Amino acid sequence: AWSGPRAFRVQSKRLEDELGRVASFVLTPHDEGSLPEFLPGQYVPLTLQRPGDPRPLRRCYSLSDAPGRGHLRITVKRIDEGRGSGFLHERIQEGDLLDVGPPAGEFHLEPESSAPVVMIAGGVGVTPFLSMLESLSERQPDRSAWLFYGVQQGAGLIQRARLEELARGARQVHFCYSRAGESEQALAASASGNVAHHCRRIDVEWLLAQLPAHLAEQGEFYTCGPDALMDEVREELLRRGVAPERFHQEAFGGKPRSQHSRVIASPTCQVELRRSGRTLTWTGEHPDLLSFLDAEGIESVQAGCWRGNCHSCKTALLQGEVGWTGDDVREPERGAVLPCVCVPRGDVVLDA
């Protein structure tokens, strides 16, 4: 893989849902060089320079196509007041160049495994599962897989037609509508084969009832979507016997979580930023260090996911100690911290 931003040309851009809020961007290397293999479910970081902004934005987007096809594809939902998604939807057109970092992330299929796969998606959280299903169809067609995909109504489905095509053989797709109307009820009544439509929200008890009994012990479970969905799914699956190492989740949202499972910050301490030459006073008013630095106008640390997944905000800790704000943080190497998911436990010095 390459290191740092690499120029990619937008080969194509197209809408993927009936509401016109989700677009896919197919990207090819501007230098016409080769692309490394990535793992289905991984993401790429984009560096976006909006006109008039003093510094670029860094955003992370899941890859939504199978590896080995000579291009990368991201599928992006336009978020109200979202600076990154708004820029991509409004300003970026076919032929434009984007700065793209190498694929990364621990949320992915294990290509050497043959274990059954259960994917649970909420809204735009389906994007990494598009990559997984494309890859399974092409490289492991006999590997059993189920996708449970929740949206409010059918018009919000992303790549519905392609998902229905992929639901063949060992693969099943279940569309779930939490605010079903007449059109969704008609779909539910006419469903057949490996595609099913349900006028209900996803819950774990119902989901497990759709699966063979051995899946709780043998399957690999993946979930991506809103925090509330993932928290509920994780708690219930673990309670029902799914081993923690067989549960995988990927968060999205671009902003910090409002609550954390543990609060271990020092009430008042000093945060020294060595490269910036500033020393700030932490008072415990912010949920994490990154929110604190952002509020203070510090530009040397920037995040993509605000969940500890992308490691875009990784910063060297020169002195002091931090505490993690969640129990499932994928910690970086020794001597580094992720400001978006940590708080100071006394005075700290950061290389920022």
Side-chain angles (χ1 to χ4, degrees):
W2 66 97
S3 61
R6 180 182 178 186
F8 278 71
R9 187 171 300 278
V10 179
Q11 179 178 304
S12 67
K13 173 184 178 181
R14 72 173 189 182
L15 294 175
E16 300 284 18
D17 68 327
E18 294 179 15
L19 300 177
R21 297 186 61 84
V22 179
S24 284
F25 300 80
V26 173
L27 312 174
T28 55
H30 181 53
D31 59 14
E32 300 183 353
S34 62
L35 285 175
E37 285 276 305
F38 62 88
L39 295 172
Q42 289 189 306
Y43 63 83
V44 287
L46 270 61
T47 303
L48 307 174
Q49 183 61 63
R50 302 194 316 165
D53 279 3
R55 58 177 174 138
L57 298 172
R58 186 175 170 88
R59 295 290 186 266
C60 297
Y61 296 104
S62 295
L63 293 163
S64 61
D65 207 352
R69 294 183 174 178
H71 63 253
L72 303 177
R73 186 179 72 190
I74 59 173
T75 301
V76 180
K77 179 179 179 179
R78 179 171 181 174
I79 306 298
D80 293 339
E81 300 181 2
R83 294 186 295 166
S85 64
F87 176 71
L88 288 170
H89 274 255
E90 294 174 12
R91 300 296 294 268
I92 298 301
Q93 304 298 330
E94 293 180 0
D96 289 344
L97 296 180
L98 290 172
D99 288 332
V100 182
E106 300 300 318
F107 183 82
H108 56 73
L109 286 179
E110 295 295 342
E112 303 304 319
S113 173
S114 60
V117 179
V118 181
M119 297 161 280
I120 306 159
V124 74
V126 76
T127 52
F129 301 135
L130 298 173
S131 176
M132 292 185 186
L133 284 171
E134 292 282 359
S135 181
L136 288 170
S137 173
E138 192 172 278
R139 303 187 180 193
Q140 293 182 295
D142 296 326
R143 186 176 179 183
S144 297
W146 290 260
L147 170 65
F148 295 88
Y149 178 15
V151 294
Q152 291 185 355
Q153 294 182 312
L157 290 171
I158 298 170
Q159 287 199 14
R160 172 189 160 189
R162 180 56 181 160
L163 286 172
E164 291 176 339
E165 291 175 358
L166 291 169
R168 295 178 180 176
R171 298 175 302 279
Q172 295 185 22
V173 173
H174 294 257
F175 299 108
C176 300
Y177 309 108
S178 61
R179 297 183 180 178
E182 291 183 3
S183 60
E184 289 79 18
Q185 292 168 3
L187 287 171
S190 63
S192 62
N194 286 17
V195 177
H197 299 262
H198 308 276
C199 298
R200 59 169 301 131
R201 66 183 295 273
I202 297 173
D203 68 72
V204 170
E205 181 178 3
W206 169 83
L207 181 150
L208 290 176
Q210 314 306 308
L211 301 172
H214 68 275
L215 259 293
E217 291 77 33
Q218 300 179 12
E220 294 287 336
F221 289 80
Y222 295 82
T223 183
C224 183
D227 291 332
L229 170 67
M230 294 194 299
D231 289 346
E232 177 186 342
V233 167
R234 177 184 176 85
E235 179 181 347
E236 285 298 310
L237 286 178
L238 296 184
R239 189 173 67 84
R240 293 169 185 269
V242 174
E245 62 270 20
R246 290 190 291 103
F247 179 83
H248 319 272
Q249 71 180 52
E250 180 89 309
F252 66 90
K255 60 183 179 180
R257 299 186 66 160
S258 58
Q259 296 180 345
H260 298 294
S261 59
R262 46 181 165 147
V263 180
I264 47 180
S266 173
T268 303
C269 61
Q270 301 302 303
V271 178
E272 180 185 342
L273 308 175
R274 184 64 55 84
R275 284 190 289 116
S276 300
R278 294 183 61 183
T279 299
L280 308 172
T281 300
W282 165 274
T283 61
E285 297 178 5
H286 296 275
D288 52 67
L289 261 175
L290 186 64
S291 300
F292 170 65
L293 296 176
D294 187 60
E296 293 288 340
I298 302 302
E299 299 182 357
S300 56
V301 180
Q302 192 173 107
C305 71
W306 291 88
R307 299 295 195 279
N309 294 320
C310 73
H311 285 212
S312 297
C313 66
K314 185 171 69 174
T315 304
L317 177 66
L318 304 179
Q319 185 177 320
E321 182 183 356
V322 301
W324 304 107
T325 58
D327 294 318
D328 55 353
V329 173
R330 182 171 58 89
E331 298 180 17
E333 65 271 17
R334 185 178 178 85
V337 297
L338 304 175
C340 71
V341 286
C342 74
V343 290
R345 301 183 73 176
D347 295 346
V348 297
V349 180
L350 301 175
D351 183 31

